[in-house]
Amino acid sequence: MSGQSGYVARSRLGRIVNAFEETAIAVLLGLMTLVTFANVVLRYGFNSSLIWGLEVTLMLFAWLVLLGISYGFKVTAHLGVDALTNLFPPAWRKVLALIAAACCIAYAGLLMKGAWDYYAPFAGLQPTTGRWFPTGIAEGVRDRAFYVTDQVPMLGIFRWLEDAINYGESYDKLPRVVPYTILPVGAALILFRVIEATVDLFTGRRKSLIVSHEAEDAVDDAARAAGKD
């Protein structure tokens, strides 16, 4: 993926994040395809189904969406409107792009706080205080570690969560903390990618946060070449 996008990690952390991101996306796509295909075969071939199949697919899709947001920042795939900014000279375009990037960093920071505050009670942890920015750790927030999914069976590899966050009580289904883990992870990846893109904007390695016009330029070049012929 990174080879096609032109993205090159310039630090060890960047390489680790890139490997995790692309591997996770590939695994999620594979699992979604496998579960859906198995359900189709069971339904039409054996008049049966995986009762937890739809819920698992929805969880995997949610993970894929959040990972896809950070991946989009990495490969400059997010859509945007630049009709107004293109009216300005290149120097001003860079300034406006940096202002947009600063807004994205602020939004990603708020998203990170909100993701943690929602996730924490399901992991037996405490959310942060403060309306907009973390000002400390809250106390006395109701523990939600006992919440489980609707149909997904408990997997043996997650039994350690029973002692870690559920006071030794066994889970009959997969606890919600497992799928909800994507909230802080996904938000952290988005924040990392936005900061990385902002640094690239500042140093001149990229010109915008949004998708480029390479396809349109290629079509124009092809049209001009055809006109000459």
Side-chain angles (χ1 to χ4, degrees):
M1 292 184 188
S2 58
Q4 296 177 352
S5 68
Y7 171 81
V8 177
R10 285 176 289 276
S11 66
R12 182 179 181 184
L13 177 61
R15 290 191 292 271
I16 293 173
V17 171
N18 187 59
F20 167 78
E21 196 175 59
E22 296 195 347
T23 301
I25 289 174
V27 170
L28 290 171
L29 284 171
L31 289 175
M32 287 176 62
T33 303
L34 181 62
V35 173
T36 302
F37 177 74
N39 243 349
V40 170
V41 172
L42 288 173
R43 179 169 298 176
Y44 291 99
F46 302 94
N47 196 28
S48 181
S49 66
L50 300 173
I51 191 172
W52 44 264
L54 178 59
E55 189 175 10
V56 167
T57 303
L58 290 174
M59 292 176 185
L60 295 175
F61 184 73
W63 278 62
L64 190 64
V65 168
L66 290 174
L67 290 175
I69 295 174
S70 62
Y71 183 81
F73 277 111
K74 180 181 76 173
V75 301
T76 321
H78 286 291
L79 299 178
V81 179
D82 58 1
L84 180 61
T85 57
N86 284 339
L87 298 176
F88 292 87
W92 277 100
R93 291 179 202 170
K94 182 175 181 178
V95 172
L96 293 173
L98 287 172
I99 292 174
C103 294
C104 289
I105 290 176
Y107 178 81
L110 293 173
L111 184 65
M112 182 70 213
K113 172 177 166 52
W116 172 263
D117 290 347
Y118 186 86
Y119 162 81
F122 291 95
L125 303 171
Q126 295 296 309
T128 62
T129 56
R131 182 177 179 85
W132 300 102
F133 303 101
T135 57
I137 302 298
E139 296 181 359
V141 177
R142 182 169 177 263
D143 192 315
R144 300 175 187 169
F146 60 90
Y147 279 58
V148 295
T149 54
D150 292 334
Q151 302 291 343
V152 184
M154 182 59 178
L155 300 176
I157 59 173
F158 295 120
R159 287 292 177 190
W160 60 272
L161 290 172
E162 295 171 344
D163 292 326
I165 65 175
N166 204 37
Y167 305 100
E169 295 289 333
S170 62
Y171 287 113
D172 59 337
K173 293 184 177 64
L174 189 71
R176 293 191 183 187
V177 65
V178 175
Y180 286 178
T181 300
I182 190 55
L183 294 174
V185 171
L189 284 174
I190 292 171
L191 181 59
F192 173 80
R193 289 303 184 193
V194 174
I195 293 174
E196 186 181 52
T198 303
V199 173
D200 286 349
L201 279 171
F202 185 79
T203 57
R205 294 193 184 99
R206 64 192 296 175
K207 297 180 180 179
S208 176
L209 292 174
I210 61 175
V211 65
S212 66
H213 297 271
E214 292 178 359
E216 295 178 9
D217 295 340
V219 172
D220 292 339
D221 292 340
R224 285 193 293 269
K228 293 179 179 179
D229 295 338

